[in-house]
Amino acid sequence: MIQYLPKKISQTAIYLYLALLTAVTLFFMNYAMSITYIVMGIMWVVGFFMLSSFFSQQWLDIPRKAFIRNVFLMALGLRVAWLIFSYFYYIAKTGSPFEFSAGDSIWYYEESIANQHAHLADIWKYLFVTASTVSDSGYVFYLSLLSKITGESIILPRFVNTLFSAWTCTLIYRVASRNIGEEGGRLAALFACFMPNLIFYCGLHLKETLMVFLTVAFLERTDYLLRSKKYNIFTIAVPALLAITLFTFRTVLGAAAVFSFITALVFTNSSIIGRGKRIMLIGWGLLAILTISGGTIINELESSWVDKDTNQIDKRNTQTARGSQWAKYATGTVMAPLMFVLPFPTMIDVDQQYTQQMLHGGNYVRNFLGGFVLLAVFSALFITKNWRNLSLLGSFVIAYLGIVSTSGFANSERFLLPGLPILLIMAAYGVTLLTEKNYRFIKIWYWIVPIMAFGWAVFKLGSRGLL
């Protein structure tokens, strides 16, 4: 078993990225990214792989508590640094501390400020009683409560984001170490610590950072409940409340959480979940489903499912109307098989997609790690055959990414983000499973990654008739 990210793999990832970036830039010189985004991409990729490789070896044998402390402080420091940089960067570029083409983030901020002096009961009624949908209500409620402490500050709520994101890394370690072993858990935590996409959102006023935290917290507490020999009202209530909260951030995310819980109850081996506990928890799960089945949540879920095909068609038609002629081919049938490696990195300057260019390095990291994710999935199904004991994490990420891939947002980095922590755990598991025999597959993957990234550049330009 490999216990850390080998230096050879991290160097290969960096060299491959630099070669790919150079090739795309030279081949599509007229649509090359600005030097700022090129430098950002190099920083994200080199930083992720070098730091993950170095610290996965340096912290391999330190005590568990020391590792958790180190990961939290390292993650917090990186996120605070990015928060401060991005705050002033956006002011310089856009005139305000909000991202390019900001929409949702400004709305969240304005809603929280509008509720700043309102009574708690009135805020609750406005968001959860009279509202026609529950998605976003949870985040607006959270920001409204926070605004009573931070006032109209923009940077302070984002600082709180850095705390939640750093905490997420430690929760990833806890749930991963129980599922894939101590070494895999430490590697997964370091992947999360240095993951560009998770760092990036700490500098925005969007809900993604808190939503990812709640997702990981639900999975960690649910996994603890399933594996623990002792349980009580508190250990049952916490994951239940977290699942309900997820519905108030994104309804399909809550649905994926409930699905993963039920799947784990059904398939996890009896050596982990006893018969009596299994029956009791299944009964509780059915009761929870019946509780929400008659309200706003189930209506919104039904609407999302019924409209998913229409939304996908509308999204493709809109993109086609804007000049993306090939967008009509990016259907759910095409995108679903790619759910473990999406989104593709945007390494060219087109349609002023500046945020995508800022994150192209992080998306490259996701693509590169996708080979290890696929290795972990294959191993769990056919080699180690321990997929039953990984059914909680596996069913969640498959359910959620499956829903997104059949919608109109299959390559939307924001919509795919909640599945990222589980993919990082799977990637870490894939690294620990490396042998001389299966490493041949990873060597093949080294050729696939640049083909995907280069092909995406061709797709974006060709669909707009720019080739």
Side-chain angles (χ1 to χ4, degrees), residues 283-317:
W284 170 82
L286 292 174
L287 180 62
I289 293 174
L290 290 174
T291 301
I292 67 173
S293 62
T296 304
I297 290 177
I298 198 66
N299 292 332
E300 191 168 338
L301 277 174
E302 183 179 2
S303 177
S304 298
W305 181 257
V306 170
D307 296 340
K308 67 180 178 65
D309 293 330
T310 302
N311 292 338
Q312 184 183 52
I313 294 172
D314 291 344
K315 178 76 177 293
R316 301 307 174 208
N317 289 341

Side-chain angles (χ1 to χ4, degrees), residues 14 16-34 37-38 41-42 45 344-350 353-354 356-365 367 449-458 460-461:
I14 293 171
L16 191 63
Y17 167 77
L18 293 176
L20 174 62
L21 179 63
T22 302
V24 171
T25 301
L26 293 178
F27 200 85
F28 304 108
M29 182 63 73
N30 293 335
Y31 304 99
M33 296 186 295
S34 71
Y37 302 135
I38 291 176
I42 295 174
V45 174
F344 298 128
T346 296
M347 306 178 77
I348 52 173
D349 183 15
V350 62
Q353 296 175 342
Y354 301 127
Q356 293 186 34
Q357 293 176 58
M358 291 175 71
L359 267 176
H360 83 268
N363 291 343
Y364 167 83
V365 171
N367 295 163
V449 170
I451 291 174
M452 291 191 300
F454 196 89
W456 183 242
V458 173
K460 292 184 77 72
L461 292 175

